[in-house]
Amino acid sequence: MQSFWYFVYNFLFLPFFWLVMQFAALFNQKIWRGISGRRRLFHQLEQDIHKLKSLRRVWFHSSSMGEFEQARPIIAALRRRYKDIDVIVTFFSPSGYDHSKNYKLANLISYIPFDTASNAKRFLDMIEPTVAVMVRYDVWPNHMWELRNRNIPTFIANATLRKNSLRRIFPLSNFHRYVYNGLRSILTVSEDDAEAFRSFRLPHPHIQSIGETRYDQVSQRSEEARAKHLIPPAVLKRKKVFVVGSSWEEDDEVILPAFKAIAEEDTSTVMILVPHEPTLETLERLEISLNGTMRAIRFSELNDFSNENVILV
């Protein structure tokens, strides 16, 4: 059965997926950036591989920025405990890669290659990880199968699996059973997630609920922010603060009118809005949306704060 799924994935799904991505890139800037960023991936790795000096190497893979936030506390804890390890960080999404490529606790940061069997072999030949950690759900089959073939311990951290997930419906459930079965451990956010993974009847991985590392990261960030006084205390004095993090345009269409109604009832409220992609284009779009309804100021201009309703980060 495993050879059957290997054939279906590599000779049916991947060619179709590649064509869809190429077509979608014509209309989606983010997808185009992801494809463009991979064109010289192995060439860049050859230039950067000298950064890996230790024989003990931990590879962390995250889909995007949100998932990487969950990896950060684990990486920081490893760095505190082990002084002689190298950390390799990869991303699928350009939003994660672009915003984290200067992350100081990693020795090497890269996109993950497109998930062909040959790419997976070439990538692992180059980075030679001792351990691999996939964060949350971004598990690419050929990379997983190659890690298993090399007997490299592989984990999923902060794993989640909803009861109504398509991954649990036949025939996808059978396919994912072969993908997950090479893992050493699946470490879930909740006991419900652990039970959902146990429904695959996996003989090899240890499945355990350990909680959500994102809370550790939020707590750490909060302490650091208080120490740095990123927002002058006078700006938030006697204010009721509404924080919106990692919002998309569809979120903003709901949140902005709702906050406007709140602000009209209570003038002591202020909203700190951090879009998922904090580009100049996004900030300009938000400023246009707010024009005439609420006063907004950018985080970078807080020295000129004059009681605006919205702070855009």
Side-chain angles (χ1 to χ4, degrees):
M1 182 61 78
Q2 184 172 342
S3 59
F4 168 77
W5 285 121
Y6 181 89
F7 175 84
V8 169
Y9 181 74
N10 282 283
F11 297 100
L12 298 180
F13 173 77
L14 277 186
F16 174 75
F17 179 67
W18 176 252
L19 288 174
V20 169
M21 292 287 285
Q22 293 291 326
F23 179 75
L26 299 174
F27 308 96
N28 187 299
Q29 179 72 14
K30 185 175 178 180
I31 295 175
W32 180 86
R33 280 165 45 213
I35 292 174
S36 177
R38 285 173 168 82
R39 284 176 183 158
R40 300 181 72 254
L41 187 153
F42 288 109
H43 176 73
Q44 188 64 48
L45 275 178
E46 288 172 354
Q47 293 184 332
D48 293 341
I49 205 70
H50 70 277
K51 297 177 183 178
L52 303 179
K53 303 182 187 302
S54 174
L55 295 178
R56 304 171 75 186
R57 300 174 180 180
V58 186
W59 170 32
F60 285 86
H61 173 68
S62 307
S63 173
S64 189
M65 191 67 201
E67 291 73 31
F68 184 58
E69 288 298 305
Q70 300 163 39
R72 283 174 179 257
I74 306 173
I75 296 172
L78 284 172
R79 284 294 194 191
R80 287 192 296 268
R81 184 165 181 177
Y82 304 103
K83 305 302 181 184
D84 62 337
I85 63 168
D86 284 341
V87 173
I88 302 144
V89 170
T90 61
F91 294 94
F92 176 77
S93 165
S95 62
Y97 175 77
D98 290 344
H99 293 115
S100 304
K101 56 188 175 184
N102 296 318
Y103 177 58
K104 293 181 179 179
L105 295 187
N107 299 84
L108 192 152
I109 300 172
S110 171
Y111 282 106
I112 191 172
F114 188 70
D115 190 44
T116 64
S118 60
N119 279 351
K121 290 177 182 177
R122 186 179 179 187
F123 179 69
L124 294 177
D125 282 343
M126 295 180 74
I127 68 168
E128 297 182 300
T130 311
V131 174
V133 182
M134 310 292 118
V135 182
R136 206 164 190 93
Y137 59 80
D138 206 48
V139 176
W140 290 97
N142 277 317
H143 283 79
M144 298 296 292
W145 290 328
E146 189 59 29
L147 285 164
R148 179 173 59 191
N149 291 340
R150 299 177 186 221
N151 294 315
I152 297 172
T154 305
F155 305 81
I156 303 181
N158 279 40
T160 58
L161 182 64
R162 297 190 308 272
K163 290 183 178 179
N164 62 347
S165 171
L166 292 176
R167 286 179 284 172
R168 299 184 65 192
I169 300 174
F170 186 83
L172 288 179
S173 60
N174 189 264
F175 169 73
H176 281 93
R177 186 172 189 270
Y178 286 98
V179 174
Y180 293 140
N181 203 38
L183 291 162
R184 177 70 60 88
S185 291
I186 299 175
L187 307 172
T188 68
V189 168
S190 71
E191 187 57 35
D192 286 344
D193 294 306
E195 286 300 319
F197 275 102
R198 290 186 186 111
S199 69
F200 288 112
R201 301 188 304 280
L202 301 167
H204 294 135
H206 171 67
I207 301 172
Q208 182 181 354
S209 170
I210 63 167
E212 169 70 271
T213 59
R214 183 159 39 185
Y215 290 111
D216 299 279
Q217 180 67 1
V218 169
S219 176
Q220 181 181 336
R221 283 277 182 90
S222 178
E223 292 175 5
E224 292 173 353
R226 286 191 179 97
K228 294 177 181 178
H229 298 292
L230 296 177
I231 296 180
V235 171
L236 304 180
K237 188 176 182 180
R238 298 191 180 90
K239 296 285 188 181
K240 295 171 185 172
V241 183
F242 183 43
V243 180
V244 179
S246 194
S247 69
W248 294 92
E249 185 171 358
E250 294 83 355
D251 300 317
D252 300 331
E253 291 172 357
V254 176
I255 291 166
L256 295 183
F259 181 74
K260 179 177 181 293
I262 293 171
E264 288 174 349
E265 292 291 326
D266 188 344
T267 57
S268 68
T269 56
V270 61
M271 176 167 64
I272 301 173
L273 177 58
V274 188
H276 184 79
E277 296 193 353
T279 61
L280 287 174
E281 291 80 5
T282 301
L283 294 180
E284 289 169 356
R285 172 181 61 77
L286 287 166
E287 287 168 337
I288 292 171
S289 299
L290 291 166
N291 187 34
T293 61
M294 286 181 285
R295 296 170 60 229
I297 187 171
R298 296 189 186 187
F299 176 78
S300 58
E301 301 168 352
L302 273 182
N303 287 337
D304 299 321
F305 182 76
S306 58
N307 214 33
E308 283 83 1
N309 305 101
V310 181
I311 299 171
L312 298 174
V313 181

